[in-house]
Structure formats: C-alpha cells, structure tokens
Amino acid sequence: MKDSELFPVGGGSASASYSNPLLTYKILKNSQVWVAPMDCIVDILIMGGHGGGAASRTPTTGTTYLTTGAGAAETVIKLGVVLLAGQTITINIGAGGLGAIIPAVTTAYQGIAGGNGSPTQVTGPNGLAMIAMPGYGGLTGNGGIGAYIPGGG
C-alpha cells in the first residue's frame, strides 16, 4: 500500500487539458511528517479511528446477550492553512478499534465489546493543532424481554 495518493482537482490525470496539476488533493494513509513542496495554502480534513463492533453468541436456552454497532469517529476540517516551502505538518493517524470475535467452538453464553478507536492528531507551524476524537467500540450486555443498551459511540 502506498503512503499517499495524489489526485488532480477536476478529475482525470494530471495531464488532462481541464485539470490543473497545482490544484490537487492528497490522501495520506499512514502517520508521517509532510513537507510543503512549495509555498502553498492547504485544506486539512482528518478523521479519528472508528470503533470496532461488538459480538454475541447465545445458545438455544439461557441468557440473551445484546450488542451494538460501533461508534463513528469525529471529523475535523481546517481550511486555508498557509505554509511556506519546507515547513512541515506532523500527522498521526488514529487506528480503528478491533471488532469482537467469538470462537466458533465455544458453547458459553458470551457477549464481547468491540475496541475503541484512537484519535487522529495534526500539528504544524503557526500553532496548527487539530485532533479528531475516536469512535467507541460496540457494547454488549445481558438482556431479556424489553432489555436495552445504549449505542456504541
């Protein structure tokens, strides 16, 4: 997997007649330090790591376990960040929470919560500081008729 991908604004390839290669967006897939290749103005969109889903297993008799889906993470946008050539932005991408897994061989009554995600953080020159909070893992609990547990995130 590439660390990032660069796309021209307007679609097509960078050489397309309707596309300006100086107007691009970049998707960063890994934590990294990004160096401004020239004086530029950038817009930054970050998302925290999403939560992992819960899982349950209920035999034919006995306790019922309820589960919820995972919570979505926060998205944060900062427009018009002015950078000079060579200035850096540090990006720490939050990990998604682990989804719960129940082994197929178990016969026990089980409910396992999903893992929480972790935040995404961006720092840079002139006080640039952004944080996108993570989503929480799915929840689980004992249930019965009319039982309720709140959502995961």
Side-chain angles (χ1 to χ4, degrees), residues 97-116:
L98 295 177
I101 297 174
I102 296 177
V105 295
T106 186
T107 57
Y109 309 112
Q110 279 188 292
I112 300 175
N116 294 336

